[in-house]
Amino acid sequence: MLGGKRILLIIGGGIAAYKTLELIRRLRERGAAVTPVMTAAASQFVTPMSVSALAGEAVHRELFDLTSEAEMGHIQLSRVADLVLVCPATADLMAKMAQGLAGDLASTLLLATDTPVMVVPAMNVRMWDHPATQRNLATLRGDGVTVLGPDSGDMACGEYGPGRLVEVPQILAALETALSDGPLKGRRVLVTSGPTHEPIDPVRYIANRSSGAQGTAIAAALRDLGAEVVFITGPAEVARPSGVEVIEVQSAIEMRAAVMGALPVDAGVFAAAVADWRVENAGGSKIKKIAGQMPTLCFTENPDILAEVSNLPEGRPELVVGFAAETDDVVAHATDKRLRKGCDWIVANDVSPATGIMGGPENAIVLISDSGAETWPRMGKSDVARQLAERIAARLGAQ
Ligand code: CTP
């Protein structure tokens, strides 16, 4: 799907820039053309010679370059591509983009372009966590920029946490999606998935048995139909889907914040098994065992994210899909839940242990909407996901 596509690759100045050499090779292997642009800092990390040799094209570096300007002006350069990819996107480049600065060639191209922009951030964990970067991130998302990553893990600077460039195969999958022409192309969808962990103290938590398998399959199916997917997951067992924006959270409170931060979206699929309660008196230090004395945990209700999004006075997604895991009277309970929460559809399933559905590979659902209850045959979770994604595409297409 990348064959015949042209990508304007803006390489920022960070240690992860070396990974763009591999990325360029893989893009060209798939038949894509790469027009490379490097910031001044980027050429401290990889040489323009290597980039140009792999891309098979000259590297553009200067805003005021008479030769380049005579051959192709920078405005035109920003528009010839099918997609502008900023990789690695440094904190500095993201700040420039968010502010609309145009002091060098890279930022000028980003301000002048009218093609989709995807940024792949990579930076030190503290720089990523800094409120300024998080503000800029929110601005970029609001401007319609797709943000991929970063991953968490060991970093070249010796620290640990979010800030690593996502791996090349994941960037390729995201590009395939962004450049595909599926029925959900141009649509932004959020999916919540997995359990939440509600802390009791710094080392203990309350959780549930959700594996995250169904939510993950739904995110992948929506991606395959061309949607830009924001996947907000609690600490789930299954691997994260590739080619989507992954936001990892622990608690219901964190999940709510991530969901609100990901809006606006065209559709929201709330597959997460969010804990209904959290411990109000969760300790900042570990609760010590005292012989004969039981600790008292006081519970308080968690925000109902699905109900909150369903009832947003402004910016409600066109389609809100909730889930209902029930053990008896599935249709009656789920029908009531749809009305109570205000969502458009409820995907209901029977999670009694005898069904083997929770944590298992299959699912048997009843889709409840304003036109009634539709019972689907038992099938693999990825088949449920594919059919549900097709229904979502049909519904959004019909709006
Ligand atoms: N949900 C949510 N936020 C919560 C609780 C649930 O967004 N705090 C969402 C789930 O992701 C799911 C739906 O609401 O889409 C159903 O959740 P469930 O816990 O089954 O519903 P409840 O209202 O808690 O009903 P009950 O516990 O009686 O089954």
Side-chain angles (χ1 to χ4, degrees):
M1 269 182 286
L2 289 171
K5 303 287 185 190
R6 175 165 291 276
I7 289 159
L8 183 73
L9 173 63
I10 296 179
I11 306 175
I15 186 69
Y18 77 92
K19 292 191 182 171
T20 55
L21 297 178
E22 170 78 6
L23 178 65
I24 295 169
R25 282 204 63 151
R26 302 293 156 239
L27 283 169
R28 299 221 39 221
E29 241 170 44
R30 285 163 175 74
V34 179
T35 306
V37 173
M38 294 175 76
T39 64
S43 35
Q44 300 292 323
F45 292 92
V46 282
T47 72
M49 178 77 84
S50 311
V51 171
S52 163
L54 290 170
E57 293 192 18
V59 175
H60 300 269
R61 292 198 288 160
E62 302 296 337
L63 183 54
F64 302 107
D65 179 332
L66 282 180
T67 318
S68 296
E69 214 50 35
E71 286 165 2
M72 187 194 280
H74 56 256
I75 300 288
Q76 201 191 340
L77 185 59
S78 75
R79 308 234 172 121
V80 289
D82 296 293
L83 183 140
V84 179
L85 179 68
V86 187
C87 179
T90 57
D92 179 64
L93 255 177
M94 288 175 63
K96 284 179 175 147
M97 287 174 76
Q99 292 297 313
L101 297 180
D104 61 7
L105 180 62
S107 52
T108 301
L109 294 176
L110 285 159
L111 197 60
T113 192
D114 58 359
T115 47
V117 177
M118 182 184 292
V119 306
V120 195
M123 66 193 71
N124 169 271
V125 56
R126 287 190 202 284
M127 292 170 81
W128 174 254
D129 282 340
H130 195 284
T133 304
Q134 292 301 312
R135 261 196 319 273
N136 293 334
L137 179 68
T139 302
L140 294 181
R141 285 205 178 112
D143 290 347
V145 170
T146 302
V147 182
L148 188 65
D151 274 350
S152 283
D154 287 324
M155 308 193 58
C157 53
E159 291 186 64
Y160 182 91
R164 277 164 57 131
L165 193 81
V166 299
E167 297 299 333
V168 169
Q170 203 177 333
I171 301 173
L172 293 169
L175 288 172
E176 297 251 8
T177 301
L179 294 167
S180 83
D181 291 321
L184 287 173
K185 184 168 170 59
R187 296 294 200 157
R188 180 174 158 87
V189 180
L190 87 77
V191 179
T192 69
S193 184
T196 61
H197 283 185
E198 305 299 329
I200 295 172
D201 67 16
V203 297
R204 304 181 178 96
Y205 58 82
I206 295 171
N208 61 63
R209 293 189 195 281
S210 167
S211 66
Q214 188 63 84
T216 301
I218 291 168
L222 291 164
R223 172 205 65 199
D224 291 345
L225 294 186
E228 176 195 340
V229 179
V230 187
F231 182 69
I232 299 169
T233 180
E237 278 168 27
V238 297
R240 311 297 177 247
S242 60
V244 308
E245 181 184 346
V246 178
I247 303 178
E248 305 260 358
V249 297
Q250 296 285 322
S251 64
I253 295 279
E254 287 175 18
M255 185 171 278
R256 182 198 168 275
V259 166
M260 294 305 161
L263 299 177
V265 293
D266 296 295
V269 180
F270 295 84
V274 185
D276 289 323
W277 315 280
R278 67 178 182 281
V279 180
E280 192 173 30
N281 57 337
S285 49
K286 191 181 166 203
I287 302 171
K288 299 304 286 178
K289 182 178 69 181
I290 303 171
Q293 277 185 34
M294 299 304 138
T296 307
L297 300 181
C298 299
F299 287 93
T300 186
E301 228 174 283
N302 267 328
D304 191 321
I305 308 164
L306 172 64
E308 196 174 336
V309 172
S310 298
N311 291 293
L312 279 175
E314 258 176 58
R316 183 194 192 274
E318 277 173 46
L319 179 65
V320 180
V321 183
F323 274 64
E326 310 286 350
T327 50
D328 46 81
D329 288 339
V330 176
V331 173
H333 282 312
T335 302
D336 174 59
K337 201 169 277 180
R338 188 181 85 84
L339 296 173
R340 215 167 6 98
K341 301 211 180 198
C343 54
D344 302 298
W345 297 350
I346 282 270
V347 178
N349 53 13
D350 186 343
V351 290
S352 322
T355 64
I357 283 174
M358 206 153 190
E362 292 187 330
N363 206 350
I365 69 149
V366 183
L367 183 63
I368 292 169
S369 65
D370 58 358
S371 44
E374 196 184 300
T375 304
W376 291 15
R378 189 173 172 126
M379 57 182 114
K381 285 185 175 168
S382 51
D383 292 321
V384 169
R386 200 165 27 77
Q387 292 193 24
L388 187 66
E390 278 163 12
R391 292 290 284 267
I392 291 171
R395 165 71 184 258
L396 291 182
Q399 294 288 310

